[in-house]
Amino acid sequence: MNENTAVKQNLIDVLGKESLLLDDILSQQVVVHNCVTKRNWLELESTMTKLQKMSDDFVELENQRVALSEKMNIFQDPEFTPVLNTVRNKLNKSKIENHVLNEYISTTKNFLQGIFDEALPQRRNTLYSRFGKIVKPELQSVVLNQVI
C-alpha cells in the first residue's frame, strides 16, 4: 500500500468517524431543545456536558482531517464525495437546529421582557449606552407569592 492510498484510507476513516459523531451530536441537540421547551434544567445541564465532550472530540477529528487533507485534495477525488456530502449535510442540519433553538430562546426572552416591562413599572426607566442608543435593562429575578 503506497502512502497516497494510506492517506486516502485515513481520511475516509476520519470522515466516517465525524459522520458518526455528528449523528450523536444531532440526537443530543434534539434532547437540548426538548429540555429547554419542557424546562428540564437538570437534564439540560447533563446533556450540555455531553455535547461539550462530543464537540471537543469533533474538533480533534477535524484537526486530523485538516492535517491529512494537506497531503491530498479531497474535493477533487470522487471517492470522498459521498462521505463529504454526508458530513456537510449533517453539519447543516446541526446549524439549523442551533438556529431554531436560538430563535425560540430569543422569542421567549422578548416575550418575558415585555411582561416584565408591563408588570414592573420601575423598569420602564430609559437607559442609554455610551453610544447614545437606548438599552433595555436585563431581566431580574422576581419572587411571586403564589405557587404555579
Side-chain angles (χ1 to χ4, degrees):
M1 183 186 295
N2 65 22
E3 182 183 348
N4 204 19
T5 306
V7 170
K8 186 181 285 192
Q9 187 57 47
N10 285 341
L11 268 167
I12 290 172
D13 290 345
V14 168
L15 287 168
K17 288 176 186 176
E18 283 185 343
S19 180
L20 292 173
L21 189 55
L22 282 170
D23 287 337
D24 293 340
I25 289 171
L26 287 168
S27 68
Q28 291 301 309
Q29 284 180 310
V30 171
V31 173
V32 166
H33 188 90
N34 291 335
C35 288
V36 169
T37 57
K38 293 178 181 173
R39 291 176 245 127
N40 186 347
W41 308 125
L42 294 176
E43 186 179 353
L44 176 65
E45 187 176 347
S46 69
T47 304
M48 291 302 292
T49 302
K50 290 177 195 173
L51 264 175
Q52 182 61 47
K53 170 74 171 96
M54 288 182 214
S55 175
D56 293 343
D57 292 345
F58 188 83
V59 168
E60 283 182 32
L61 287 171
E62 188 63 11
N63 288 338
Q64 289 176 19
R65 185 199 61 79
V66 167
L68 290 169
S69 295
E70 290 174 357
K71 299 175 183 174
M72 160 180 287
N73 189 351
I74 63 175
F75 300 107
Q76 293 180 347
D77 192 331
E79 283 187 57
F80 292 108
T81 303
V83 71
L84 272 176
N85 287 339
T86 301
V87 170
R88 283 181 180 163
N89 288 338
K90 289 176 184 180
L91 285 170
N92 282 332
K93 193 173 183 181
S94 176
K95 183 178 177 180
I96 291 168
E97 183 68 31
N98 283 338
H99 180 71
V100 167
L101 183 61
N102 285 332
E103 284 296 314
Y104 175 81
I105 291 170
S106 176
T107 302
T108 303
K109 180 182 179 265
N110 290 338
F111 173 73
L112 291 174
Q113 182 70 49
I115 289 174
F116 284 120
D117 286 347
E118 291 296 319
L120 303 171
Q122 71 271 16
R123 293 185 47 86
R124 291 187 186 167
N125 298 336
T126 305
L127 297 176
Y128 293 92
S129 72
R130 63 183 176 153
F131 302 110
K133 295 187 180 200
I134 295 176
V135 176
K136 292 261 186 183
E138 292 296 316
L139 295 176
Q140 296 176 347
S141 298
V142 175
V143 179
L144 300 176
N145 191 14
Q146 191 174 30
V147 176
I148 298 177

